[in-house]
Amino acid sequence: MTELTALTLTDAVEGLRTKRFSAEEITRAHLEAMEGARTLNAFTVETPDRALEMARASDARIARGEGGPLEGAPLGVKDLFSTEGVETTAGSRILQGFKPPYESTVTANLWRDGAVMLGKLNMDEFAMGSSNETSAWGPVANPWRSRGSNASLTPGGSSGGSASAVAADLCLGATASDTGGSIRQPAAFTGTVGIKPTYGRCSRWGMVAFASSLDQAGPITRSVSDAALMLRSMSGHDPKDSTSLPVETPDFTQFVGRDVRGLRVGVPREYRVDGMPAEIEQLWEQGVAWLRDAGCEIVEVSLPHTRYALPAYYIVAPAEASSNLARYDGMRFGYRAGGGTLTEVYENTRAEGFGDEVKRRILIGTYVLSAGFYDAYYLRALKVRRRIADDFDRAWETCDALLTPSTPTAAFALGDKDADPVTMYLNDVFTVPANLAGLPGISVPAGLDANGLPLGLQLVGRALDEGTLFSLAGALEQAAAFRAKPERWWS
Amino acid sequence: MAVDAETVRRVARLARIAEPEARLDPLAREISGILGWIEQLNEVDVEGVEPMATAVHATQPLREDVVADGGDPARVLGNAPRSDDGFFVVPKVVE
Amino acid sequence: MTDTLIQGRTGPWEIVLGLEVHAQVASRAKLFSGAAVGFGAGPNAQVSTVDAGFPGMLPVLNRFCVEQAVKTGLGLNAQIHRTSRFDRKNYFYPDLPQGYQISQLYHPIVGEGALEVERDDGSTFTVGIERLHLEQDAGKSIHDMDPHSTYVDLNRSGTALMEIVSRPDMRSAEDAAAYVRTLRTLLRALGTCDGDMEKGNLRADVNVSVRRPGEGLGTRCEIKNVNSFRFIMQAIEYEARRQVEILEDGGKITQETRLFDPGRGETRSMRSKEEAHDYRYFPDPDLLPLVLEEAWIEEIRASLPELPAARRRRFAEQYGLTAYDAGVLTAEDERAAYFERAAGGRNAKLVANWTVNDLLGRLSAEDRGIAESPIPPETLGELVGLIEEGTISSKIAKTVFEKLWAGEGSAREVVEREGLVQVSDTGALEAAVDKLIAANPDKAEAVKSKPQAIGWFVGQVMKETGGKANPAVVNALLRARLGID
């Protein structure tokens, strides 16, 4: 049965279509794997009954010669996506027991295309975190461990459950979301592929909001082709989301394996940050060499405002979050605490329902929007955001995509970066600029560090040009030939 | 800009989050730290720059004036901590 | 308008008034969701998960509501902003499910305009319009269903409102009421808001301050949600007097939000809302800038009906009506249409008299609108026609009107059936006059020295003929027979 869970999504879909195995078989294999991997704490809710029901329906469609592009493929769903009748908490106690009466557009698209839901995946609370430690349901463990160590490592965040489950072969792919790097950083930490598409490519309808102008859904998978396949199903214009782009979804899978000769790849000099480990630096140079060998033209570019992306992000995201999370007040759904007066009930509900990081960001967001500070903080951050986006626009005059490391380090130990929030925030230094500018970014596993932990390279492209990213990511994947798998210590 | 305990108290009140007295000073230090780090934004020349609230270049789409939702109180009341007779029931509001 | 000053103990004070009128857009669905808008539905029966602020729910703007805002802006001769934006106004309240109201603070859809307001006496004044913006209404909290809890109905939540903000251009309670009345008439004529104040579909926040004539603006208080003309005037009068008393006692006015208590006829401070407000407005990241195509604005402009002010002027000029009658007849579209149908080819002033005094008077006594009039406009016109041609007297017309009200047929049918045709036949009347003089020789003698006594003879002839005699003809005959000049 392990064979079935080790397949790529692309191969599994092909095996299902050609009836080499049934959807029920591959679903059962995954349900078993999930059961054996509970110590990873990747799933918050397992939905075996629904999974088997969906799998049997897929088998019936396949038998009739019907079936969508993901027919019968068992997937995991980040708990940020509303799933009708299935508890959706976004990793927060304040949403404990909440069962949405609706299905998010992204997951509905996956089910439309035949995918099977295995369950909901753990995450940082409201997607605020880079280590999965802010989840109300406990941290997720990375299937990867440092060579010769039993210490539990973070799978990254906020889509830590998604990355861990995909890396541990608990699902063929998983939905994830990325506000400042929450797809790409965990993908890099777990040796998986993660793409954050152009802002507006995937509908945000039914996805619990963190920072509306930055949040974007995307897949975490085990190959670039898988990412292309899954993103194609997740994408599409949604009239229910005003920020959803009214554009056609290309067949992203067609771009993987395309010739990349002549593509110009920019290397932004400002991404050489202080204190970056030599291994990361070397990996980056290796990535440049691989793409050069594949026929790309390498150009050095400058993104002078990129160093301001993180501080700008830490104003914009908390500001939006402080308002987005106001609806969690204990009045209509979710957790309600006790209290003598209405104000006490509000304050206790939110004090007890939210974790420390979420509260910290709400306070910062509230502060930067409050009277007297709006111009100095929020408005200034939006102007810096424009500067950052303008930098990218200038870069596109001389290159077609950018190559950078995905993260400044490999996976770190759980509890390692608790002390200082800013140290934790620095994890997102390479990923945040693409969110601010709304650009697509993909992380591809590129090698292992000295401890045997995976490292990723990131490609950032023009808006709506995921195609070029998939071609370049395919070239990197081929050159890197990353085959390593974590040791199966959890079962 | 340094944030003091009193400011944290005011902001927590605005955000409707109960913060115990003992947490105000540590939070003030944490938030001051973060805001201090954020202040590097003051180095950027933003003279004449149009604020960027969204990465989308399109304009607001419009929906037709058609009733296509609602009509099902149970759907919106189903998750309520308390409801009665079709209403959400919340702690007494003192006008 | 010096007569609007308040005389205090220490001298005169001027009231300065500005209004924020909230007009509910007459749409089927809500501003950002597909739930129905309406009155009288069961609790939470018109609520979508968007209106209830559920996780992951997103707003999409209603085209019709945008169109109504533009239309209203054009009706106010205001600047239509080609680009506007939506902002969030953040505060916590159980009937505000999202924890914020989507509104337009920084870039409203409509900018500066003006409204010409006519008083009852026909004089006019202009109120500057500062802006009009679109925003969501909140739900309803019900405090008296349970001693320990508040019940929340979100049916209103998310309903589209146009907030129309005036300049502080009014100086008396009457003028403020006249402004709201004129604005309401305009909205109804445009069809953008039904103006139903009882249902809360039109309500006003009144900003009141007082000052010594000629001095700068005083500190203002805002009276929230006043929903009738009478209450607007009462609230202003109470509030202005309250402020004058404080100032004359050497006190200071605190800028605050106050509530009008119709039962006591006074305003009081809304203590629960006094806690420092900091709404933390910022652009709603779930929505994009609203950009209006010039062609769409022009299309809306071309679709505008004749507006009340223009119609009022036209009625006065074309039909020669008094300012009062023109105002009353143009206050509602239906009234104006009724009048114009009735007045076709008739003596318009007479039709106006009958419409305003008899028909509207009677309708209002029965609390009915003109659309429910049992007398169709053509019939009222016919009635006036009969008066004009001398077929019936005005007095008989009153009787005919009653029968028309009872639905007894057309005016002419009633007059003929009931034999109410005025007798102008000189021959028939001569006989009656001669008979009367012959029967009353002493009175006939007396009237020669006291001509005003002729009225008795006229009355007798009218009585004799059952009121159908043409009084003018009778009068002339009597004068000739009795030898009075």
Side-chain angles (χ1 to χ4, degrees), chain B residues 13-14 16 59-60 62-65 67-71 73 76 82 84 86-90 92-95, chain C residues 28-30 33-34 44-45 47-48 60-63 92-93 142-143 146 149-152 272 275 288-289 291:
Chain B
R13 171 88 183 176
L14 265 180
R16 295 291 185 278
T59 59
Q60 178 57 37
L62 300 173
R63 191 169 48 79
E64 294 310 315
D65 184 30
V67 176
D69 208 343
V76 288
R82 258 193 84 194
D84 180 32
F87 293 90
F88 291 99
V89 180
V90 306
K92 191 83 180 168
V93 177
V94 186
E95 278 282 320
Chain C
R28 293 190 191 95
K30 293 183 178 176
S33 89
N44 292 302
V47 182
S48 76
V60 183
L61 185 57
N62 184 328
R63 174 193 303 276
F92 286 88
Y93 206 71
I142 302 153
H143 306 297
D146 183 293
S149 304
T150 290
Y151 279 49
V152 179
S272 63
E275 170 201 319
L288 300 174
V291 177

Side-chain angles (χ1 to χ4, degrees), chain C residues 278-468:
Chain C
D278 188 341
Y279 291 124
R280 291 158 283 134
Y281 281 97
F282 77 109
D284 191 324
D286 287 333
L287 294 161
L288 300 174
L290 172 62
V291 177
L292 305 173
E293 298 292 335
E294 193 66 50
W296 191 25
I297 299 174
E298 287 316 307
E299 201 179 296
I300 297 169
R301 194 191 302 276
S303 76
L304 291 183
E306 182 182 31
L307 298 181
R311 185 179 280 163
R312 203 169 56 224
R313 273 195 295 276
R314 180 170 66 82
F315 274 29
E317 285 164 20
Q318 182 181 336
Y319 298 114
L321 305 188
T322 62
Y324 177 77
D325 282 357
V328 171
L329 290 173
T330 53
E332 287 174 16
D333 262 2
E334 297 88 341
R335 280 187 197 175
Y338 186 101
F339 167 75
E340 293 209 273
R341 277 216 295 283
R346 318 275 184 208
N347 177 333
K349 283 181 86 157
L350 204 50
V351 173
N353 281 340
W354 277 87
T355 311
V356 173
N357 300 329
D358 297 272
L359 184 69
L360 291 178
R362 185 69 181 269
L363 286 168
S364 121
E366 298 193 7
D367 204 18
R368 292 155 85 168
I370 200 153
E372 300 156 280
S373 166
I375 305 176
E378 294 73 17
T379 305
L380 190 73
E382 193 188 356
L383 179 67
V384 171
L386 292 173
I387 302 168
E388 272 186 88
E389 67 190 40
T391 304
I392 55 172
S393 65
S394 294
K395 189 160 172 253
I396 288 289
K398 302 276 181 195
T399 314
V400 177
F401 181 87
E402 289 306 316
K403 296 189 178 293
L404 296 178
W405 183 270
E408 293 181 13
S410 80
R412 200 170 288 279
E413 276 164 19
V414 168
V415 167
E416 281 172 7
R417 186 168 62 236
E418 306 281 328
L420 298 172
V421 177
Q422 180 163 265
V423 181
S424 304
D425 172 0
T426 325
L429 291 176
E430 265 173 0
V433 166
D434 288 346
K435 197 176 137 203
L436 189 65
I437 292 171
N440 299 283
D442 46 337
K443 283 203 167 72
E445 198 53 37
V447 84
K448 284 174 186 166
S449 54
K450 218 174 118 196
Q452 60 270 41
I454 196 168
W456 180 84
F457 283 93
V458 175
Q460 289 302 307
V461 176
M462 295 306 285
K463 203 190 232 169
E464 191 76 12
T465 58
K468 289 179 288 183

Side-chain angles (χ1 to χ4, degrees), chain A residues 84 97-102 199-200 205 213 241-243 245-246 305 307-308 310-312 314-315 320 330-336 341-343 345-348 350-351 354 356 359-360 362-364 366-368 370-371 373 376-387 389-390 421-422 425-426 435-438, chain B residues 1-4 7-20 23-24 26-28 30-63 69 72 74-83 88-94:
Chain A
E84 190 171 351
F98 176 67
K99 290 185 176 170
Y102 43 82
Y199 181 84
W205 194 86
S213 81
D241 173 1
S242 298
T243 63
L245 298 173
H305 297 94
R307 56 183 291 221
Y308 300 108
L310 262 186
Y314 274 94
I315 289 176
E320 293 183 13
M331 299 295 132
R332 298 164 312 286
F333 47 77
Y335 178 73
R336 180 190 288 181
T341 65
L342 173 70
T343 302
V345 173
Y346 273 139
E347 295 189 344
N348 294 340
R350 292 163 61 80
F354 291 137
D356 285 345
K359 283 190 263 190
R360 178 157 46 227
I362 291 175
L363 293 180
I364 290 172
T366 303
Y367 180 75
V368 298
S370 66
F373 299 104
Y377 286 110
Y378 184 73
L379 208 58
R380 171 167 283 269
L382 291 192
K383 291 176 179 178
V384 173
R385 183 180 184 183
R386 173 80 59 194
R387 287 272 196 226
D390 288 348
V422 173
Y425 298 169
L426 290 173
N435 296 85
L436 289 171
Chain B
M1 193 170 306
V3 168
D4 58 15
T7 306
V8 175
R9 194 201 312 276
R10 182 179 61 80
V11 171
R13 171 88 183 176
L14 265 180
R16 295 291 185 278
I17 295 175
E19 288 293 358
R23 281 287 295 149
L24 297 180
L27 269 170
E30 271 173 32
I31 293 173
S32 294
I34 294 166
L35 291 174
W37 168 70
I38 281 171
E39 243 139 61
Q40 54 182 302
L41 292 181
N42 293 332
E43 298 163 13
V44 184
D45 176 12
V46 292
E47 191 62 34
V49 176
E50 176 74 10
M52 177 174 170
T54 173
V56 176
H57 295 291
T59 59
Q60 178 57 37
L62 300 173
R63 191 169 48 79
D69 208 343
D72 185 1
R75 186 175 158 89
V76 288
L77 291 163
N79 278 284
R82 258 193 84 194
S83 65
F88 291 99
V89 180
V90 306
K92 191 83 180 168
V93 177
V94 186

Side-chain angles (χ1 to χ4, degrees), chain C residues 254-292:
Chain C
T254 322
Q255 184 166 341
E256 62 176 356
T257 303
R258 298 178 68 84
L259 202 66
F260 178 65
D261 181 339
R264 293 160 180 263
E266 49 186 55
T267 67
R268 61 183 159 83
S269 186
M270 292 173 77
R271 290 188 205 290
S272 63
K273 299 219 168 177
E274 256 186 85
E275 170 201 319
H277 266 307
D278 188 341
Y279 291 124
R280 291 158 283 134
Y281 281 97
F282 77 109
D284 191 324
D286 287 333
L287 294 161
L288 300 174
L290 172 62
V291 177
L292 305 173

